[in-house]
Amino acid sequence: MNKKIILLVLTFLSILSYGQKTADKTLSFENKVDDLIIVPFNGIALISEGDKVHAYNPDSEEIIWTIDSPKRTGIDVASDLLQNGIVSSENLDFSVIEDTPFVQKFFDGRLYIYNSFDGTVLFEPGDKEKFFQAEYLFDENSFLVRGVQEKSLIIGKYSLSDKSFTWKTTVSTTYGEFLRSLMKLTGNDKLNVSDKMVSTDDKIFALIKSKFYVLEKETGNLLWKEEENKIINFYNSLDGNKLITVQTKGWIGQKSEIDLYDATTGNKVWKDPLTTKRLVLYEDWQDKMLLAHFKGFNFYDYNTGEKIWKKDPKGKGIKSVIPIDSDFLYVYDDEMMLIDKNGQKLWKNDVTICDDEEDPIFFLEKTKNGRILYITATYANMVDYRTGKKIWGGNLKLNEKRPTIAKYNENTGEFVVFNDEELYRFKEDTNDKPKPYAKLKLKNEKLISSMEIFPNNVSISGQSEVVGVDKDGNVIFHNKYVQPGEFGRRLLKSTFIAGQIVGGIAAAEVTVSTTYKDSNGNTVQSESTHAAFGNKAKAIGEAGFFAGSIGQNFVQNRYNAMQETDNYALIFAKSEDGAKHLIKVNKENGKEENKIILNNNKPVYDVDYATDDIYYSKDNEVMIFKG
C-alpha cells in the first residue's frame, strides 16, 4: 500500500527570511504541552499537558475528551527506565500500536494504553509489574504484553473483552540480574540486540535480549526456552512446525551459527548446528530451506541439515541473493549470475556490473518486460533476463566519486538516474543507451535523499535544496537552503521516518496475498479481496472501538487520501533575523505552502499524513495549520 510519506529535511538558514502563516486553529491549555501525536488510523490528535491528556477531533474541530494522567510520583521516569533497561528515551512519548487507534504512553515508568476514540484506558499495570511492550491480537481482541516484576520476566495475554489477563506467565526468574549485568558491559540502552515477538495461530515466539521463549498461545504455557545461547534472530517455517535460530560467532560477528528446533517441543533436529558466514537470507521451501550468506548460498535438507547442491555457487563476497520466480539472481564481488532451483547457471557468462567489488548497488530489479536493470556506482545497463546479454551496446558509465540516486516508476515503466550533475530519463523498453537530458548543478549533491517522478517533471530533494526539472531538461524551480550542524539534525521527529508510519492505517479495501515456494520451487500464491474494509480495521470495528461520527466511512476516507505520492518536503529553516521556521515545500511545483515560526530548538509537533495538517505546540498552545 502506497502511503504519503513526508520527507523531513532539517536546515537552519542564515540568509533567507520567511513570513509567518497564521494558524488555522489554536488550542489553549492550562499547562505547557509536553507531548502530542496524531493517530494515523483516525486522525485524532492526543495532547499531554500537566496532569491531563486531551483528544482533538479535526473533523468536528473540538476537544472530544479529557482525562487525568496517572498520578506522577516525582520519579525521574527517563532515568528509571533506562537504568532498568526497559525502553529507550524515545519510547517515553506517545506511540501508536500499529494498525490500531490505540496509543500507549509511559507514566512513572509504567505502560498505559488508551483508545484514542473515547479516552478509555484499555490497559494499566498492576502495583508491582512494569510492562514495556504491547501488541494487539486482532483475532482475539487482546493485548500481548511483556514486562518485569522485580527480577522476573513476564509475558501475558490481556483480554479487552474481559478486562483481565487470560494468562500471565513468568518465563524467567533471573532476567533482572541478567539485564543489570548486561548493562554494565554495553551501556544503558545499547544492547545491540533487537527484541522480537511473533504470534502464530497456536504459539508465541519471543526473543528478548538474546533469551528465547516459546509459549502456547491459548493457555500461556511455557513450551520451551533457550537462555544459554546468545540468539540474535529466529525464523518460523511456513507450516509452523520448525524453527530456525541464529547466533553470531567469530571475530566481529562474521559467522552465523544456525540451529533447527521442533517448534513445539524445543528438541533439536540436528546433532550439530550449521556454521556459515553472516546469514543474509532464509527462505522456506517446505521440505528444505535456502540459506544465503556472505560466501555463498545453498539449499539444506530440513531433516539432515545437509546441503542439496554439491557446491555453493561461486563468489567470495556475496552482496545479495534475490529470488525471482523459481530462480535466483545473486550478486557477488563485481558480478551477477542467474541460477535455477537446481543450482545450475542460466546465463552463459557472468555479468560484470561494476569496476570494484566494494561499489554500492543503487538499483537491481526485474522489470515488467523481462529485463534486469542494474545501477551501481560505476555502471548502469539492462540485461535480458533469459540470456544474460546486455541490452545497451555499452554500459552507461557513472562517476563513482559522485553520488547517484535512481527512481523507478513501476506504473509507467520510467527510470530516472542522477549522477555527476547529469539527469537521465528512459523507459524500461529502451534499446539505446540513454543520454543526459538535463545538466543540474546542485548546491550539495551529497545530501540528496529523495527523487520523485511526476507527470511533467522530476523533483530532487535533500537536506539543503529542493529542485524540479521538466521533461525538456529545464530547471523550473530550485529552492536552496543552508545545511545545519549536527544539532539541527537531531531535531528529526522519529515519526517522520517512513518505515515507522507504514501500516499506520488499515486499508479500506485490501487484497490478502499469501506467497510461498513449494518443494519444486514453484511460486504458489493465493489471494482474496475484502471489500469495504481490511481485516484489521474490520476487527477493530467489530470489537466496538469506533465511536460517534468517526466510523468506517471516516477511516476509509483517510485511507483513500493516503494513496498519494511523496509530494512534500518539510524543512526546518532559520531566517536572517534568527527566527526558526517549519516550511512545507511542494515537491512538484516548488511552492512553499506553509511557513510556521518555531520558538524552541526541540519542537513538539506532528503531521497528519492523510490531510497534510501540521500540529505544532508552543508553551501551552497547539497551533494547527491545515494542509
Side-chain angles (χ1 to χ4, degrees), residues 259-479:
D259 234 324
L260 178 66
Y261 295 84
D262 181 292
T264 301
T265 65
N267 294 330
K268 289 188 176 183
V269 177
W270 305 327
K271 181 179 179 181
D272 299 308
L274 300 176
T275 300
T276 69
K277 292 296 182 180
R278 188 181 302 171
L279 187 68
V280 296
L281 175 69
Y282 160 80
E283 192 174 86
D284 180 23
W285 282 47
Q286 296 194 354
D287 62 343
K288 54 184 174 292
M289 60 180 173
L290 173 72
L291 298 178
H293 51 86
F294 280 174
K295 292 293 185 181
F297 73 101
N298 209 317
F299 282 99
Y300 294 81
D301 185 283
Y302 270 129
N303 294 321
T304 65
E306 296 178 354
K307 291 182 179 181
I308 303 296
W309 300 338
K310 292 182 179 181
K311 293 182 178 180
D312 284 19
K314 75 167 187 176
K316 296 181 179 179
I318 287 190
K319 299 178 180 178
S320 180
V321 176
I322 305 172
I324 302 177
D325 301 325
S326 61
D327 304 325
F328 302 94
L329 181 68
Y330 81 104
V331 184
Y332 62 96
D333 302 331
D334 58 355
E335 298 175 319
M336 68 178 180
M337 170 57 71
L338 192 66
I339 298 291
D340 69 11
K341 61 185 179 182
N342 299 313
Q344 301 301 311
K345 292 183 178 182
L346 293 178
W347 296 341
K348 184 177 180 181
N349 298 307
D350 299 288
V351 177
T352 301
I353 62 174
C354 55
D355 276 346
D356 192 312
E357 63 184 41
E358 300 298 326
D359 284 348
I361 299 171
F362 300 112
F363 190 92
L364 181 61
E365 191 172 316
K366 183 182 179 183
T367 63
K368 292 185 296 183
N369 64 337
R371 295 178 175 182
I372 294 173
L373 173 70
Y374 62 86
I375 301 172
T376 68
T378 46
Y379 298 138
N381 208 330
M382 286 187 176
V383 174
D384 187 296
Y385 180 78
R386 295 168 299 175
T387 65
K389 292 183 178 180
K390 295 182 179 180
I391 302 296
W392 302 336
N395 288 320
L396 175 63
K397 185 69 174 71
L398 302 175
N399 187 342
E400 71 274 14
K401 297 181 180 179
R402 306 290 290 269
T404 298
I405 186 167
K407 183 78 173 186
Y408 173 46
N409 187 325
E410 187 175 353
N411 294 327
T412 65
E414 281 188 296
F415 290 95
V416 178
V417 180
F418 174 76
N419 172 263
D420 199 12
E421 300 183 354
E422 293 181 327
L423 201 60
Y424 303 83
R425 187 170 185 163
F426 55 94
K427 290 290 191 73
E428 62 185 16
D429 58 358
T430 180
N431 293 320
D432 298 322
K433 182 168 61 176
K435 297 180 180 180
Y437 79 102
K439 293 286 291 184
L440 197 57
K441 183 71 174 179
L442 298 182
K443 182 177 183 297
N444 194 333
E445 60 183 22
K446 293 182 180 180
L447 300 179
I448 294 299
S449 57
S450 173
M451 177 187 290
E452 305 300 332
I453 303 175
F454 296 103
N456 298 313
N457 66 285
V458 172
S459 175
I460 297 176
S461 54
Q463 295 183 12
S464 59
E465 57 204 309
V466 181
V467 58
V469 181
D470 67 18
K471 289 185 175 181
D472 295 324
N474 301 311
V475 176
I476 53 178
F477 63 85
H478 196 166
N479 301 356

Side-chain angles (χ1 to χ4, degrees), residues 11-30:
T11 54
F12 286 142
L13 297 181
S14 57
I15 301 174
L16 302 179
S17 177
Y18 298 104
Q20 161 77 347
K21 177 184 175 181
T22 303
D24 295 286
K25 189 174 183 64
T26 299
L27 308 176
S28 298
F29 302 94
E30 293 183 1

Side-chain angles (χ1 to χ4, degrees), residues 185-289:
L185 298 175
T186 61
N188 283 337
D189 61 343
K190 298 178 181 178
L191 300 181
N192 297 319
V193 178
S194 296
D195 292 352
K196 179 179 176 182
M197 200 149 56
V198 174
S199 63
T200 62
D201 290 340
D202 60 348
K203 297 182 185 67
I204 292 168
F205 302 91
L207 176 60
I208 303 172
K209 303 293 179 289
S210 79
K211 308 298 183 182
F212 186 71
Y213 308 94
V214 181
L215 296 88
E216 191 174 51
K217 190 175 182 181
E218 183 178 356
T219 64
N221 290 336
L222 181 62
L223 298 176
W224 60 279
K225 62 183 178 179
E226 175 57 79
E227 294 184 311
E228 298 301 321
N229 297 315
K230 294 182 179 180
I231 296 171
I232 64 166
N233 202 357
F234 68 91
Y235 302 94
N236 301 92
S237 63
L238 291 173
D239 61 11
N241 296 326
K242 299 176 282 292
L243 183 124
I244 296 290
T245 63
V246 183
Q247 298 179 57
T248 297
K249 299 290 183 178
W251 186 64
I252 64 172
Q254 291 181 325
K255 294 182 179 180
S256 293
E257 190 172 277
I258 301 159
D259 234 324
L260 178 66
Y261 295 84
D262 181 292
T264 301
T265 65
N267 294 330
K268 289 188 176 183
V269 177
W270 305 327
K271 181 179 179 181
D272 299 308
L274 300 176
T275 300
T276 69
K277 292 296 182 180
R278 188 181 302 171
L279 187 68
V280 296
L281 175 69
Y282 160 80
E283 192 174 86
D284 180 23
W285 282 47
Q286 296 194 354
D287 62 343
K288 54 184 174 292
M289 60 180 173

